[in-house]
Amino acid sequence: MPRRDAPVGPLSKTDFRKTLAALYTAPAGRFVEIEVPPLQFVKIDGQGDPNTVPAYRQAIEWLYPVSYALKFAAKAAGRDYVVPPLEGLWWADDPADFVARRKERWRWTMMIMAPDFLGPSVFEAAVEKARKKLGDAPATLRFEPLAEGRALQTLHVGRYDDEGPTLARLHDEIMPARGFTFAGPHHEIYLSDPRRTAPEKLKTILRQPVKPI
C-alpha cells in the first residue's frame, strides 16, 4: 500500500481514492476482508435521526469548511490533495435498532479523512478560519486517529434505508460463519453526492471492523 505521507511535487494532487483504493472499493453484494491502516480524521459526534436533528446538519456544515481549509493549507505548502469523501460511524445501544432503522436511537460520528502530514496546529488554524464564518464550533469537533484494522466491507448501491437486509445478513450469517464478532461501530463511506445522484444510484461503502470470536 502506498505511503499516505509520501512527498509529492507542488503541482501534483494526491487522490486518496486512488492511492488507497482498497479502502474505497468493494464488490456489490459480497463482503471482502481488508486491513485498514491507521488514519486521521476531522470528527464530530452526535445522536438521533440524521434527517431531522439539527446537530447532524451542523456537523456537515463544519466538516467541509475545516477540511477544505486543511487542503488549502497543504496546497500552500506544496502538497495538494483531493478532499476525501464524507464518512460516518454509526451505532446504537441495541444493534437491532440500527438494522431496523430506528434512527431516533442512533449515535454517530461524522468525519472526513485528513493526510498524515497535517498536524494539530494546522487543524487549529483551519477551525479558527471556519469559526469566523460559522460562529462557535461543535463541542465534539476534533482531529484524531482511527485504527480499525481487520474489517469486512461491501459496496451498497441504492437508498441508505435499503441497507438493512445487507447488514442483517452480515451480522447474522457472514460474521458468525467466519468466526468474527464486532470490533468497532458500523462504518459508511459516501462515494456519491446525494444532491446530484438519484437515490437508487447512490454508492456507499459499508464496513464493519471485526475480530475473532
Side-chain angles (χ1 to χ4, degrees):
M1 180 174 290
R3 288 176 55 196
R4 299 184 303 283
D5 59 352
V8 296
L11 298 179
S12 64
K13 180 184 292 187
T14 302
D15 186 343
F16 296 104
R17 288 181 61 168
K18 296 178 180 179
T19 61
L20 298 174
L23 305 184
Y24 298 101
T25 58
R30 180 168 62 89
F31 281 89
V32 294
E33 184 174 331
I34 65 167
E35 187 71 22
V36 184
L39 300 167
Q40 67 177 358
F41 292 85
V42 180
K43 298 179 178 179
I44 298 177
D45 300 332
Q47 62 183 31
D49 186 341
N51 296 313
T52 59
V53 295
Y56 183 86
R57 183 178 66 253
Q58 183 189 37
I60 303 306
E61 289 174 347
W62 270 87
L63 285 174
Y64 280 103
V66 171
S67 295
Y68 274 95
L70 290 172
K71 167 198 163 60
F72 295 141
K75 184 177 181 179
R79 308 186 77 168
D80 196 11
Y81 65 94
V82 178
V83 173
L86 179 69
E87 307 187 30
L89 305 178
W90 301 87
W91 69 98
D93 293 336
D94 180 354
D97 288 336
F98 190 78
V99 175
R101 320 307 281 179
R102 291 188 281 267
K103 300 177 184 179
E104 71 280 359
R105 303 180 184 180
W106 290 2
R107 301 177 185 273
W108 41 263
T109 297
M110 303 312 296
M111 58 192 194
I112 295 178
M113 194 267 279
D116 286 354
F117 55 77
L118 297 176
S121 62
V122 182
F123 170 70
E124 291 167 6
V127 172
E128 183 58 32
K129 185 176 180 179
R131 184 180 287 116
K132 292 178 180 178
K133 296 181 179 180
L134 299 174
D136 293 336
T140 60
L141 175 64
R142 64 197 185 279
F143 195 52
E144 69 177 16
L146 175 66
E148 291 181 302
R150 180 185 292 183
L152 299 177
Q153 72 179 29
T154 189
L155 175 66
H156 173 75
V157 180
R159 295 172 172 81
Y160 303 132
D161 282 339
D162 292 340
E163 297 172 5
T166 298
L167 297 178
R169 183 165 60 90
L170 172 67
H171 299 168
D172 300 337
E173 301 174 20
I174 296 173
M175 288 173 58
R178 299 190 189 186
F180 288 142
T181 188
F182 299 93
H186 171 69
H187 188 162
E188 297 188 352
I189 303 175
Y190 306 102
L191 303 180
S192 304
D193 185 342
R195 299 170 301 176
R196 300 182 175 91
T197 307
E200 65 273 11
K201 295 182 179 180
L202 291 169
K203 293 183 178 180
T204 308
I205 294 290
L206 307 182
R207 177 186 298 163
Q208 178 58 57
V210 296
K211 60 184 178 181
I213 296 175

